[in-house]
Amino acid sequence: FAAFDLVPSLLSLAGVAVPRDVKFDGENVLPALLGRSAATRAAPLMWRRPPDRKTWPPAVTEPQPDLAIREGDWKLLCNYDGAKPQLYHLATDAGEKNNVAAEHAALTARLTAAATAWHRALPPDRGAEIASEPIAPKAKGKKAK
């Protein structure tokens, strides 16, 4: 479930027909929201890291992957150009500790291609530009209470 699934789901709940020429990014997940189904989304979820957060959470000092795709129990992370793919099987590795990209080369290639194609289809952001900027050292100071 993702926030963009709300519009088609709420329209379905309200009984509003969607015009044929309208294509939503989200899916109608109303049966799952109402507890009538345990089915997951049919299409994978894809997202990109906000370009101003290349090191997130704050304790991280290494650049983080730019793109992510979640398909079933699989989650792949990679850079904008598809480099440095990381593949995790979330059902057995919820903490994303064991990168299994090398053991699943075909799946890694397919998910990387899907994520990078999706990214290229979006309006550009400043992610690639910001990613090339040096990482500023973390400020040291008192923690908020």
Side-chain angles (χ1 to χ4, degrees):
F1 173 72
F4 49 75
D5 294 326
L6 284 174
V7 171
S9 301
L10 292 174
L11 289 174
S12 176
L13 179 65
V16 175
V18 177
R20 289 184 183 185
D21 61 337
V22 172
K23 168 116 174 59
F24 292 113
D25 290 333
E27 297 178 12
N28 178 1
V29 294
L30 185 61
L33 291 174
L34 296 176
R36 296 179 185 153
S37 172
T40 61
R41 301 179 88 255
L45 286 173
M46 293 181 240
W47 63 98
R48 51 187 181 190
R49 175 188 45 76
D52 63 332
R53 295 185 193 156
K54 61 183 166 182
T55 58
W56 186 261
V60 173
T61 58
E62 295 298 316
Q64 297 300 296
D66 302 308
L67 304 175
I69 180 171
R70 168 87 190 259
E71 183 179 78
D73 289 334
W74 294 102
K75 179 179 177 184
L76 180 121
L77 306 168
C78 65
N79 290 338
Y80 289 117
D81 61 0
K84 299 181 182 177
Q86 301 171 33
L87 180 68
Y88 302 99
H89 187 255
L90 299 178
T92 58
D93 181 20
E96 300 176 21
K97 303 288 185 203
N98 187 24
N99 179 2
V100 295
E103 292 89 357
H104 300 277
L107 177 61
T108 299
R110 182 175 64 77
L111 292 177
T112 300
T116 56
W118 169 81
H119 170 66
R120 287 190 305 272
L122 294 175
D125 66 9
R126 293 187 56 229
E129 173 190 340
I130 293 171
S132 67
E133 296 172 359
I135 298 172
K138 303 287 182 197
K140 292 184 180 181
K142 295 181 182 178
K143 293 183 179 181
K145 292 183 180 182

